[in-house]
């Protein structure tokens, strides 16, 4: 797909070190992104109540609160894509960040071009998760009692349960739904995205999806693990509007 210039995505950055904040803002501007920078988590969250960004770049060590808490509150109230950019490179922070719905994790010091590559990759996945609007509206899929509204990143069950997905989770679910009852490898599920050495992110997202979709996430009936091969979505998928399945 092509992205028109007028739809330049808005990126929020929270970073309390002024030099790094300037470097990030300068890099994003240089590569044509719109961004706003905040020195505290509260400032970003308060701004997000009035305007929702497509992506948030989050430092973890902030003066007023932990960046993971910022991520948690964003996911609950203003879901958007998220990239953690931090000096903390502990495995716990990485896994926790991805568990909470971050789309990627980059450790300082970083190469500005690496940051731009990650940002582009996340936004590309986000745009895939929300297909460009078509005359008959954004797509939706029905499977296993769930209704998946792709454009709104939301899932509603026939029994009334409602859950929202991060952009990365929605993109992953969409990949599974497009090829039901077929084993998909991690590489196929990652898609065009350049392979990350930390590709446990797929497994983390699968387990998050299971907690949202499955009656018993320990004994999944919808998304099955095929040991040594990948994952498989069981059952019938019905595409409701505006989206070509079996692609
Ligand atoms: Ca900091």
């Amino acid at each position: 797909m092509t992205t028109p210039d007028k739809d330049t995505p808005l990126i929020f950055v929270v970073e309390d070190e002024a030099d790094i904040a300037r470097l990030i803002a300068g890099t994003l501007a240089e590569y044509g992104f719109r961004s706003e920078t905040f020195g505290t988590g509260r400032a970003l969250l308060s701004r997000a109540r009035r305007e929702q960004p497509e992506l948030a770049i989050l430092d973890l060590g902030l003066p007023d609160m932990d960046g993971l808490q910022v991520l948690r509150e964003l996911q609950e109230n203003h879901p958007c894509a998220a990239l953690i950019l931090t000096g903390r490179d502990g495995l716990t922070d990485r896994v926790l960040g991805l568990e909470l719905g971050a789309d990627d994790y980059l450790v300082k010091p970083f190469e500005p071009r690496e940051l731009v590559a990650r940002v582009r990759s996340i936004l590309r996945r986000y745009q895939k998760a929300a297909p460009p609007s078509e005359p008959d509206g954004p797509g939706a899929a029905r499977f296993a009692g769930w209704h998946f509204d792709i454009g709104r990143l939301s899932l509603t069950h026939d029994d009334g349960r409602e859950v929202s997905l991060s952009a990365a989770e929605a993109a992953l679910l969409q990949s599974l739904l497009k090829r039901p009852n077929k084993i998909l490898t991690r590489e196929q599920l990652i898609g065009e995205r350049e392979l990350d050495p930390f590709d446990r992110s797929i497994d983390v997202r699968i387990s998050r999806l299971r907690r949202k979709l499955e009656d018993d996430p320990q004994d999944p009936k919808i998304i099955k693990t095929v040991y040594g091969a990948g994952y498989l979505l069981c059952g019938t998928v019905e595409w409701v509007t505006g989206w070509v399945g079996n692609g």
Side-chain angles (χ1 to χ4, degrees):
M1 62 170 276
T2 55
T3 309
D5 291 342
K6 62 184 168 62
D7 290 333
T8 307
L10 177 62
I11 300 172
F12 280 4
V13 180
V14 61
E15 171 60 66
D16 61 314
E17 284 173 58
D19 289 352
I20 299 176
R22 267 197 296 277
L23 173 63
I24 297 171
T27 302
L28 293 174
E30 185 184 338
Y31 285 85
F33 296 102
R34 278 194 303 148
S35 73
E36 293 182 24
T37 307
F38 307 90
T40 64
R42 284 286 154 228
L44 180 146
L45 289 169
S46 142
R47 179 80 178 103
R49 277 195 283 276
R50 280 168 288 134
E51 184 161 20
Q52 189 155 347
E54 269 75 32
L55 168 70
I57 298 179
L58 306 170
D59 181 24
L60 293 186
L62 295 169
D64 61 334
M65 62 196 291
D66 192 289
L68 290 175
Q69 183 59 28
V70 179
L71 174 60
R72 195 176 284 124
E73 292 191 24
L74 273 177
Q75 293 294 351
E76 276 171 20
N77 304 314
H78 320 282
C80 64
L83 167 66
I84 293 174
L85 177 57
T86 178
R88 283 164 33 184
D89 67 347
L91 188 61
T92 314
D93 278 330
R94 283 180 185 235
V95 172
L96 201 53
L98 293 165
E99 286 273 355
L100 287 172
D103 295 273
D104 210 342
Y105 194 107
L106 187 57
V107 176
K108 295 172 195 167
F110 63 95
E111 275 291 325
R113 274 185 302 179
E114 171 73 3
L115 175 67
V116 168
R118 303 283 185 110
V119 164
R120 282 191 178 139
S121 165
I122 293 172
L123 292 173
R124 204 161 54 224
R125 274 179 281 157
Y126 192 86
Q127 282 154 355
K128 267 199 244 163
S133 45
E134 293 165 29
D136 43 358
R142 285 192 56 79
F143 66 101
W146 287 100
H147 178 92
F148 174 32
D149 184 332
I150 295 166
R152 294 180 49 222
L153 308 181
S154 76
L155 281 163
T156 319
H157 196 270
D158 291 341
D159 67 12
R161 267 179 292 164
E162 207 171 322
V163 295
S164 58
L165 301 178
S166 73
E169 289 160 12
L172 178 56
L173 179 58
Q174 215 180 321
S175 301
L176 288 161
L177 289 170
K178 279 161 90 174
R179 284 161 289 179
N181 308 306
K182 284 198 179 137
I183 298 170
L184 300 175
T185 63
R186 282 176 181 70
E187 289 73 18
Q188 285 172 313
L189 290 168
I190 288 170
E192 310 165 1
R193 185 187 174 205
E194 54 278 19
L195 271 176
D196 192 304
F198 186 65
D199 68 356
R200 190 176 122 69
S201 60
I202 286 291
D203 306 282
V204 170
R205 276 172 208 140
I206 291 278
S207 86
R208 279 176 57 87
L209 277 176
R210 280 178 175 152
R211 282 204 296 275
K212 294 179 176 182
L213 295 175
E214 302 274 0
D215 292 331
D216 178 5
Q218 301 307 314
D219 180 23
K221 301 282 190 258
I222 303 173
I223 303 174
K224 299 271 195 188
T225 301
V226 183
Y227 288 99
Y231 295 101
L232 167 152
L233 184 126
C234 295
T236 309
V237 178
E238 186 190 334
W239 292 91
V240 182
T241 56
W243 180 262
V244 183
N246 308 319

